[in-house]
């Protein structure tokens, strides 16, 4: 696996600039799937003002990614290696497995969307969709993503920058063509929906689909940043690199939902959007959609492989890539041919993922803010399984938060499940680890004073 024996990058290897993170996260979030987000937001029965507010607040969840990126800059280590400090070497396997499943799940969603886009492209040339064509499209797109495993970090930054300029411009052109299709009278006539049962569930949906999902990859790319790079520059470039495309594309989906109300339930939403556009724009739109999806998949595959490396499995890199290739082929194959319910799978996946990630990121952030930011990461916490096998406080805090979150979801049917999970896990970890650590330091200082 990549850097299996080497946990920290040296200062000589940390040559990145904050603007590199802007391009990485901009390119990773300009996928056309954001338009479907906008349509789904309208489906919660919200007004135009409420929907736009979600399009603002949801992507701002990348502030979490930006702040968590500081741990990568400080150490030069990947996210789930740093997570060992809070959970222990073996205890970290539990949240890391959730993080890996989340990345692979997202990768499968994006490969499914890329396959749908290729099918729409074939349809534009008069080729009808059938199961064989679905299989061919899936193999083509998944094969392209698997080939990206050969990219170095420098190559990845260059590619993300290229996609940001070229396909970002094409996506903007498509959006400008879609806006005139908006039924403005219907849009402003929509009445406000309930805040507790409409607004907050929709906001939680967007947060999980944007910033929260990517927190488990935050340090994977910021670890190449120079130690001298300002914290504000890193947080700002990460946050706004993701916010700008997400806000624009989700807002377009909100506007477009009036022209195509069936968009939120379409079997192939990509094809439906192409049918709304003028005929001469269809090919440009589909290429822009492919260009927006591809970089998302590139960093998704890289991050999932990095998370897998933290399990210390005795497997070759080629085997790890093969495992990912099989998964991101079989899941879309089932979704597109057997179930034929892409959006249903997508929503269910986000619902399950959100609680586990909310618990993990809360503990990770509390650990970094109150302990590691000042004390640093002791290499023994991350490298020595005998020294830091399981941090009971971290593992119990994560499990407790997840259980409470599931209770809120299943039995109470509350939209505050992730918020409660975040508070419970972070609060318990502060009590069991941060507060105890501070008491131990104070006792140690007293002993030193008494000895002197």
């Amino acid at each position: 696996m990549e850097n299996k024996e080497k946990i920290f990058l040296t200062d000589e290897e940390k040559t990145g600039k904050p603007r590199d993170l802007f391009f990485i996260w901009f390119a990773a979030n300009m996928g056309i799937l954001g338009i479907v987000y906008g349509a789904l937001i309208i489906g919660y029965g919200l007004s135009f003002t409420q929907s736009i507010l979600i399009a603002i607040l949801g992507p701002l969840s990348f502030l979490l990614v930006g702040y968590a990126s500081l741990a990568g800059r400080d150490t030069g280590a990947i996210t789930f290696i740093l997570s060992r400090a809070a959970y222990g070497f073996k205890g970290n396997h539990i949240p890391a497995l959730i993080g890996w499943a989340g990345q692979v799940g997202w990768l499968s969603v994006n490969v499914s969307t890329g396959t749908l886009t290729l099918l729409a492209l074939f349809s534009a040339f008069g080729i009808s969709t059938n199961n064989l064509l679905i299989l061919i499209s899936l193999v083509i797109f998944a094969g392209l993503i698997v080939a990206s495993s050969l990219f170095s970090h420098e190559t990845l930054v260059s590619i993300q920058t290229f996609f940001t300029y070229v396909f970002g411009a094409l996506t903007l052109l498509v959006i400008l063509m879609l806006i005139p299709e908006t039924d403005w009278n219907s849009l402003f006539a929509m009445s406000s929906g309930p805040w507790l049962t409409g607004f907050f569930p929709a906001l939680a949906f967007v947060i999980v689909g944007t910033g929260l999902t990517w927190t488990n990859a935050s340090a994977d790319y910021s670890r190449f940043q120079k130690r001298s790079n300002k914290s504000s520059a890193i947080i700002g470039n990460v946050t706004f690199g993701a916010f700008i495309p997400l806000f624009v594309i989700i807002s377009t989906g909100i506007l477009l939902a009036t022209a195509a109300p069936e968009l939120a339930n379409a079997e192939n939403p990509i094809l439906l959007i192409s049918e709304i556009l003028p005929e001469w724009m269809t090919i440009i739109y589909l290429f822009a959609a492919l260009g927006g999806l591809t970089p998302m998949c590139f960093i998704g595959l890289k991050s999932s492989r990095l998370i897998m490396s933290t399990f210390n499995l005795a497997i070759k890199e080629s085997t790890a890539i093969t495992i990912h290739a099989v998964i991101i082929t079989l899941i879309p194959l089932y979704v597109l041919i057997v179930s034929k319910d892409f959006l249903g799978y997508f929503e269910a996946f986000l619902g399950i993922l959100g609680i586990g990630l909310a618990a993990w990121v809360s503990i990770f952030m509390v650990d970094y803010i109150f302990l590691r930011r000042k004390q640093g990461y002791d290499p023994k916490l991350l490298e020595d399984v005998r020294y830091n096998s399981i941090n009971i406080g971290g593992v119990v805090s994560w499990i407790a938060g997840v259980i409470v979150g599931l209770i809120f979801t299943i039995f109470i049917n509350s939209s505050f499940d992730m918020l409660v999970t975040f508070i419970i896990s972070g609060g318990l970890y502060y009590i069991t680890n941060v507060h105890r650590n501070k008491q131990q330091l104070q006792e140690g200082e007293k002993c030193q004073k008494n000895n002197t």
Side-chain angles (χ1 to χ4, degrees), residues 48 130 146 152 183 192 269 420:
F48 174 65
N130 53 52
V146 171
S152 66
D183 185 344
S192 295
V420 171

Side-chain angles (χ1 to χ4, degrees), residues 33 36 39-40 116 260-273 275-276 335-336 340-347:
L33 192 60
V36 180
L40 290 172
L116 292 174
E262 67 275 22
L263 181 60
N265 301 306
E267 185 176 318
N268 187 342
I270 307 301
L271 179 60
L272 180 61
I273 295 171
E275 293 172 349
I276 298 172
V335 172
L336 299 175
K340 296 185 178 181
D341 184 17
F342 169 68
L343 290 178
Y345 162 79
F346 179 54
E347 291 184 83

Side-chain angles (χ1 to χ4, degrees), residues 84-275:
R84 289 174 180 171
Y87 294 94
F89 200 99
K90 293 182 178 178
N92 189 55
H93 290 343
I94 303 172
L97 184 61
I98 297 294
W100 178 78
Q103 285 295 341
V104 171
W106 257 115
L107 198 53
S108 299
V109 167
N110 289 327
V111 168
S112 298
T113 310
T115 303
L116 292 174
T117 306
L118 278 176
L119 291 172
L121 188 61
F122 284 127
S123 178
F125 287 103
I127 304 174
S128 301
T129 298
N130 53 52
N131 287 345
L132 178 59
L133 188 62
I134 292 175
L135 182 59
I136 293 171
S137 300
L138 176 56
V139 170
I140 291 173
F141 193 79
L144 173 65
I145 303 311
V146 171
S148 72
S149 61
L150 302 173
F151 297 161
S152 66
H153 177 75
E154 292 74 17
T155 302
L156 184 64
V157 170
S158 299
I159 290 174
Q160 299 292 84
T161 303
F162 170 80
F163 274 89
T164 296
Y165 283 119
V166 176
F167 290 99
L170 284 177
T171 301
L172 183 60
L173 177 62
V174 170
I175 288 172
L176 292 174
M177 295 301 300
L178 286 172
I179 289 176
E181 302 297 325
T182 302
D183 185 344
W184 294 99
N185 291 328
S186 298
L187 197 65
F188 289 115
M190 291 189 299
S191 57
S192 295
W195 289 90
L196 287 179
T197 59
F199 179 85
F200 285 108
L203 178 60
F205 171 80
V206 176
I207 287 175
V208 175
T210 54
L212 188 61
T213 295
W214 285 113
T215 51
N216 59 22
S218 52
D220 298 352
Y221 304 100
S222 63
R223 64 192 174 123
F224 293 93
Q225 294 287 305
K226 297 177 183 177
R227 290 177 183 270
S228 58
N229 291 346
K230 292 183 178 179
S231 298
S232 57
I234 290 175
I235 296 173
N237 276 278
V238 170
T239 303
F240 289 103
F243 174 83
I244 293 170
L246 283 171
F247 171 70
V248 172
I249 294 174
I250 293 174
S251 298
T252 302
I254 293 170
L255 301 181
L256 191 60
T258 59
E262 67 275 22
L263 181 60
N265 301 306
E267 185 176 318
N268 187 342
I270 307 301
L271 179 60
L272 180 61
I273 295 171
S274 70
E275 293 172 349

Side-chain angles (χ1 to χ4, degrees), residues 311-364:
F311 296 128
N312 277 16
L313 300 174
I315 59 175
K316 297 179 180 179
E317 177 71 4
S318 58
T319 304
I321 294 171
T322 301
I323 292 171
H324 285 90
V326 171
I327 293 174
I328 66 173
T329 301
L330 291 182
I331 292 179
L333 199 62
Y334 172 79
V335 172
L336 299 175
I337 294 181
V338 180
S339 74
K340 296 185 178 181
D341 184 17
F342 169 68
L343 290 178
Y345 162 79
F346 179 54
E347 291 184 83
F349 162 70
L350 289 183
I352 295 171
L353 178 65
I355 293 174
L357 284 179
W360 173 81
V361 71
S362 176
I363 293 171
F364 183 85

Side-chain angles (χ1 to χ4, degrees), residues 14-96:
K14 292 163 63 65
T15 58
K17 300 176 181 178
R19 68 168 178 267
D20 294 343
L21 296 173
F22 179 90
F23 291 115
I24 284 176
W25 292 113
F26 189 106
N29 287 280
M30 63 182 187
I32 212 71
L33 192 60
I35 289 181
V36 180
Y37 279 16
L40 290 172
I41 290 171
I42 292 293
Y44 282 87
L46 305 177
S47 68
F48 174 65
T49 302
Q50 287 176 313
S51 300
I52 290 296
L53 187 58
I54 290 174
I56 296 172
L57 296 178
L60 281 177
S61 60
F62 260 87
L63 281 166
L64 285 173
V65 182
Y67 202 93
S69 295
L70 300 181
R73 175 206 60 184
D74 294 348
T75 61
I78 64 175
T79 311
F80 273 99
I81 289 289
L82 298 174
S83 183
R84 289 174 180 171
Y87 294 94
F89 200 99
K90 293 182 178 178
N92 189 55
H93 290 343
I94 303 172

